[in-house]
Amino acid sequence: MRMWRWVAAGACLAAAGTAHAGDFPQPGQAVRIVHGYAAGGNADIISRVVGQELSRNLGVPVVIEPRTGAGGNIASQSVAKSAPDGHTLVMLMGGHSVAGALSDKLGFDPVNDFSMISTVMDFPFFIMVKRDAPYRNMDDLLQAMKRRSGGVTYGSAGVGTTQHLTGELLAAQAGVPLLHVPYRGGAAALTGLLGGEVDFVIDTATVAVPQLKAGTVRVLAVTSRERWSGLKDVPTLDESGFAGFDVSSWAGLAAPARTPAAVVDRLNAELRKALAAPEVQSRLEQMGGAVAPSSPDAMKRRIAGEIDRYLAVARDKNIPRL
């Protein structure tokens, strides 16, 4: 198995010079947070909420810059090649790990070309079935998976998405096949579910909660290790017979590799302070996730571990390279 490695922090940052936290930010120089997704989407909203609070804490403007295309990879590549001075950052999303596992044409190393700062949020996924489906819980669905010769079908937002790979991890742990039906986005997958084209879909709370309130779906389980606070009655997959199952998407802030350790530490501290603000927590958690700050090393280990995990799934399930 290909493994992503990184140089120890001290050695990696030695070439970055002897910058001190007091040198950052430079007076009158704005900090840019680049992301690769459409205006008004999760990445954009998270960047703006966090950026507004960081601007207060740092005392300089924080400018949000969408650079869309290639599933966020255009933005990531541009930041990877930027000056490592802390003034250009990128809001990465969980698809960053998927891209690292499934693409050989990124133009950057998804682990080693970045100085990770901190994760910002976790986004669990939910297993949803149509309200009138015969599945009352995950055991019902598992039994159907075992007895149906044609395979139980599930829809996702597309080939190579985190939702797709979550379904393949579910099938691997159950030891039975699932038939993946890719759609062009989560909205189309939901339409497929409601139209009876697939047995279940995997998607985030932003999809699950409105449909649950509308009475169109039943939510069987959440994919994270802990129950989600917004749907406390929904059990985890771990509680539903899939021991140790734990998959979530995420958002996290990173800088170019070789950004001085003192600058990374300053940004980590200021981001933690921003995420501790009650109004910031409230606005972010309304998006269907949980605020989840981390150390830079923890974020880097998470991404590297996810890449290895998804690589193994892709190889086992013959998922094509993108």
Side-chain angles (χ1 to χ4, degrees):
M1 179 184 295
R2 180 175 60 173
M3 299 290 287
W4 291 98
R5 306 292 186 189
W6 59 89
V7 182
C12 185
L13 293 170
T18 58
H20 301 286
D23 300 327
F24 172 83
Q26 291 293 311
Q29 185 173 349
V31 171
R32 290 189 304 143
I33 299 179
V34 182
H35 69 76
Y37 301 89
N42 281 354
D44 189 58
I45 295 171
I46 294 167
S47 297
R48 293 182 189 283
V49 172
V50 168
Q52 185 177 30
E53 195 69 16
L54 280 178
S55 178
R56 292 194 188 100
N57 295 345
L58 293 170
V60 297
V62 175
V63 179
I64 310 305
E65 182 181 326
R67 300 194 67 175
T68 59
N73 295 329
I74 290 175
S76 297
Q77 184 177 32
S78 72
V79 173
K81 299 180 183 301
S82 296
D85 58 9
H87 288 273
T88 302
L89 311 175
V90 61
M91 186 64 71
L92 301 174
M93 304 299 283
H96 183 79
S97 298
V98 176
L102 298 187
S103 178
D104 290 323
K105 302 174 183 178
L106 293 178
F108 60 88
D109 185 306
V111 175
N112 295 317
D113 280 350
F114 298 91
S115 295
M116 307 304 172
I117 296 168
S118 171
T119 50
V120 174
M121 294 186 68
D122 281 342
F123 293 95
F125 295 113
F126 295 86
I127 310 295
M128 289 173 281
V129 298
K130 196 176 177 182
R131 185 69 184 180
D132 59 3
Y135 316 114
R136 309 295 301 183
N137 50 48
M138 282 304 299
D139 187 61
D140 288 345
L141 188 59
L142 179 59
Q143 295 309 313
M145 290 163 65
K146 290 179 176 178
R147 68 174 178 265
R148 194 184 300 178
S149 59
V152 167
T153 57
Y154 78 98
S156 81
V159 173
T161 60
T162 314
Q163 294 95 318
H164 173 202
L165 296 182
T166 299
E168 297 300 344
L169 285 167
L170 184 69
Q173 187 157 346
V176 292
L178 284 172
L179 179 60
H180 176 232
V181 181
Y183 289 88
R184 303 185 87 176
L190 177 65
T191 299
L193 175 71
L194 299 182
E197 297 173 359
V198 292
D199 292 294
F200 71 96
V201 296
I202 301 170
D203 217 321
T204 59
T206 54
V207 174
V209 172
Q211 295 302 317
L212 187 63
K213 290 180 177 178
T216 60
V217 304
R218 181 181 299 122
V219 180
L220 302 185
V222 62
T223 62
S224 54
R225 178 64 64 90
E226 304 292 336
R227 294 192 182 198
W228 182 55
S229 60
L231 291 174
K232 292 183 179 179
D233 292 337
V234 175
T236 66
L237 282 172
D238 179 68
E239 294 171 321
S240 304
F242 295 81
F245 199 99
D246 183 16
V247 177
S248 296
S249 190
W250 49 269
L253 201 60
R258 297 177 300 282
T259 298
V263 174
V264 171
D265 289 345
R266 171 81 189 279
L267 285 165
N268 179 273
E270 298 297 353
L271 180 58
R272 285 177 178 273
K273 188 187 302 181
L275 295 177
E279 63 274 18
V280 171
Q281 290 192 5
S282 176
R283 290 183 67 186
L284 293 179
E285 288 173 357
Q286 288 172 10
M287 300 173 63
V291 172
S294 72
S295 70
D297 283 347
M299 182 177 171
K300 181 166 280 193
R301 288 194 302 271
R302 177 176 187 168
I303 293 171
E306 287 182 351
I307 291 173
D308 287 335
R309 189 181 191 186
Y310 295 146
L311 271 170
V313 173
R315 235 185 329 260
D316 183 58
K317 301 295 182 178
N318 296 314
I319 298 172
R321 308 290 290 179
L322 302 177

